[in-house]
Amino acid sequence: MNILFIGDIVGRAGRRAVRIFLDQIKTKHDIEFVIANGENSAGGFGITKKVAAELYGYGIDFFTMGNHTWDNKDIFKFIDDDPNLIRPLNFPENNPGQGWQTLKVNSKKITLVNLIGQVYMSGYDSPYHKFMGLYPQIKNSDIILVDFHAEATGEKMAFARAVDGMVTAVIGTHTHVQTNDAQILPEGTGYITDAGLTGAVDSILGMKPDKMIEKMINSLPVRYEVGTGEVKIEAVLIKVDEKTNTVNQIMEIKKNNL
């Protein structure tokens, strides 16, 4: 089974990148299931039902989220009713939505888990202990994929090593910079530190550069604006053996290697 995980989709530019490139990637790599981090897909902050519907229409099957989950209040209207959208499992218990989901894809039982880091990101329970509490319920899944949404590379790596052999893959998100460390860990878990950015090429993390620069120069708050112009898609391809459910290959996908 070939699974595609698309790096953080940022605003209209990111949605345009999905529209332009996703079908080409799916055809070239025989993709059977598409996951995307959608926490920045509506104006760069959060997601709406309309935006989710648009991206489902382009071929995305499932969404994970992150620290911007609640930035657009429209999400409160539909998160509990959308079985293909999850938010971090280690959010406070009283938060709406769910942190994991199991579904059938081509006879395979796939479990998706969303976690958020603690380093430089406050207010969340331990992602490791939260995951370990969940694991007995999902360990019989054929495939377990984890979106670890975190700032610190070391935290992502430590988590992946801690669950190596327990899950199919750990995909890092949040930094909007694709890393070139896609690998299969010693016990068989696929890993990459960050899947990258899907959005404007001429940008800083998907946002217009001038606003970021202005903030640096003046040390005052600014209102970020989503980048425009040429777009790119960055993603990760996970090839899972149909018989053993182990990762045969994990590799970075970029717009310039379609």
Side-chain angles (χ1 to χ4, degrees), residues 175-245:
T175 69
H176 296 197
V177 177
Q178 189 180 71
T179 53
N180 68 347
D181 62 340
Q183 61 190 280
I184 299 174
L185 299 176
E187 300 301 320
T189 293
Y191 173 77
I192 188 170
T193 299
D194 205 284
L197 162 72
T198 297
V201 172
D202 182 19
S203 72
I204 297 175
L205 309 182
M207 299 296 181
K208 290 182 178 179
D210 58 337
K211 295 297 181 180
M212 296 279 199
I213 295 167
E214 180 184 338
K215 181 177 180 180
M216 176 177 284
I217 293 172
N218 297 328
S219 300
L220 291 170
V222 298
R223 184 179 179 85
Y224 295 144
E225 297 176 7
V226 173
T228 56
E230 184 182 355
V231 294
K232 64 178 178 179
I233 188 169
E234 293 182 340
V236 181
L237 172 63
I238 308 153
K239 295 188 174 184
V240 181
D241 188 279
E242 287 283 354
K243 295 181 179 179
T244 65
N245 295 325

Side-chain angles (χ1 to χ4, degrees), residues 3 6 32 55 92 203 243 254:
I3 299 170
I6 299 175
E32 297 164 83
L55 290 167
S203 72
K243 295 181 179 179
K254 298 182 179 180

Side-chain angles (χ1 to χ4, degrees), residues 107-169:
S107 79
K108 293 291 184 181
K109 186 179 178 181
I110 300 181
T111 295
L112 292 303
V113 182
N114 199 178
L115 296 168
I116 194 165
Q118 292 179 303
V119 180
Y120 308 124
M121 304 174 89
S122 60
Y124 309 116
D125 294 336
S126 163
Y128 172 76
H129 291 295
K130 200 74 174 180
F131 175 80
M132 293 305 293
L134 170 67
Y135 188 67
Q137 299 179 60
I138 65 173
K139 65 180 182 180
N140 292 325
S141 298
D142 297 310
I143 295 170
I144 301 174
L145 299 173
V146 179
D147 174 351
F148 197 97
H149 195 82
E151 188 76 41
T153 56
E155 185 180 22
K156 296 179 188 181
M157 293 175 180
F159 176 82
R161 287 284 183 152
V163 301
D164 185 15
M166 298 169 62
V167 307
T168 307

Side-chain angles (χ1 to χ4, degrees), residues 37-59:
N37 187 287
E39 69 147 8
N40 302 115
S41 57
F45 301 95
I47 192 170
T48 66
K49 188 172 185 177
K50 181 179 179 181
V51 163
E54 177 186 349
L55 290 167
Y56 284 137
Y58 297 152

